[in-house]
Amino acid sequence: MSESPYTSGTTHFGFRDVAARDKQKLVGQVFTSVAGKYDLMNDLMSLGIHRLWKRYFTATAQVKPGDRVLDLAGGTGDIAALLRERVGKTGSIVLGDINAGMLTVGRDRMTDRGLVAGMEYVQLNAEALPFPDNSFDLVTIAFGLRNVTDKDAALGQMYRVLKVGGQARVLEFSEVTPEWFKPVYDFHSFKVLPRLGKLFAGDADSYQYLAESIRKHPPQEQLKAMMAAAGFARVRYTNLSAGIVAIHDGYKA
């Protein structure tokens, strides 16, 4: 089961146990630090493959012209930009992020790309979404769920704001499947990544946390069960790149 911070009073921040009330602040500090180098962060963590993962994630989403989409932990707008064409001129996308720095970077980049119409930006907490029930045709969260303190609450909120028949999609680092690959992946995560973070971003600690947060995130089957417990129907997942990341899908019945 995932942590229950509101009953236990503690949760994890990477490999450290911290008071649940402090995790949001600590995660905020990490992403404030890396906001200006978010693409570099993802390139270092994924060896550049994150761009292909995001394209597949959005290309296979259940979305059509006229739909209203909520992209949680929207970061610098990569997912929103890829979905903007798919929802068309009559559709709309809400890009939400808890971190003001990330949200500002995302808004500026979308504006620079000329993607202005049909876009909204909301600073929000995924555990308590400020939207009515049945508001969105599609809810996405890419590389953000592992940083949420109460993942069950966030999944419940995603379910609540979806319209009946709507789809929720989670793209997240997950558990690699080939046993031979695990030590290679661990070496890259814990030895190489923090050093690259220090070299290119001047911030080894944030990259160390990000590597640790991946290992603390629920693996594929556990997250599938959590989504089902939140009410989603037809929950399934697809591993990409030997399970380095996984896409989880669920629908509001």
Side-chain angles (χ1 to χ4, degrees):
M1 295 293 292
S2 82
E3 73 273 14
S4 181
Y6 300 112
T7 57
S8 69
T10 62
T11 187
H12 57 78
F13 177 73
F15 289 161
R16 293 164 47 198
D17 289 330
V18 299
R21 64 180 178 274
D22 294 335
K23 180 172 180 176
Q24 180 178 316
K25 178 181 178 181
L26 292 168
V27 171
Q29 291 171 349
V30 169
F31 282 90
T32 296
S33 173
V34 304
K37 297 181 181 293
Y38 185 72
D39 287 337
L40 172 63
M41 178 192 76
N42 282 329
D43 284 334
L44 294 177
M45 294 183 72
S46 71
L47 303 178
I49 307 173
H50 72 97
R51 302 172 195 278
L52 297 178
W53 294 335
K54 290 172 181 175
R55 287 190 177 277
Y56 182 81
F57 178 69
T58 54
T60 55
Q62 176 184 284
V63 65
K64 63 185 184 304
D67 279 355
R68 182 166 171 79
V69 176
L70 172 62
D71 179 33
L72 295 171
T76 51
D78 290 349
I79 300 300
L82 291 168
L83 288 171
R84 187 67 196 88
E85 183 177 351
R86 297 199 62 195
V87 301
K89 295 181 179 179
T90 58
S92 62
I93 297 177
V94 176
L95 194 159
D97 204 296
I98 196 170
N99 185 275
M102 295 292 291
L103 197 63
T104 298
V105 171
R107 183 183 60 213
D108 290 348
R109 288 193 174 187
M110 293 293 283
T111 302
D112 290 344
R113 294 170 178 173
L115 301 174
V116 178
M119 289 297 308
E120 301 174 49
Y121 302 89
V122 181
Q123 186 172 2
L124 50 74
N125 187 334
E127 299 171 19
L129 297 177
F131 307 109
D133 297 355
N134 307 306
S135 295
F136 297 96
D137 300 284
L138 172 69
V139 178
T140 61
I141 183 167
F143 303 119
L145 185 61
R146 74 182 188 281
N147 298 305
V148 175
T149 304
D150 190 341
K151 297 173 182 61
D152 292 311
L155 292 171
Q157 286 289 296
M158 291 168 68
Y159 182 87
R160 180 184 66 79
V161 301
L162 265 182
K163 297 178 183 178
V164 174
Q167 182 188 51
R169 302 207 99 195
V170 180
L171 173 64
E172 190 54 87
F173 288 103
S174 200
E175 185 175 74
V176 297
T177 48
E179 288 297 325
W180 66 266
F181 185 53
K182 291 181 179 180
V184 178
Y185 186 52
D186 284 345
F187 180 80
H188 171 74
S189 298
F190 297 112
K191 300 298 183 183
V192 177
L193 181 60
R195 287 174 171 79
L196 291 175
K198 183 176 182 179
L199 178 64
F200 291 102
D203 185 354
D205 290 344
S206 292
Y207 288 79
Q208 179 74 27
Y209 158 72
L210 291 166
E212 292 176 358
S213 70
I214 293 170
R215 300 309 191 277
K216 298 296 288 185
H217 183 67
Q220 289 91 327
E221 286 292 337
Q222 185 179 351
L223 182 54
K224 178 181 177 181
M226 290 168 64
M227 290 184 68
F232 290 104
R234 292 185 287 147
V235 181
R236 64 178 184 175
Y237 64 85
T238 303
N239 285 329
L240 302 179
S241 301
I244 293 177
V245 300
I247 298 172
H248 282 71
D249 290 308
Y251 298 83
K252 187 167 183 175

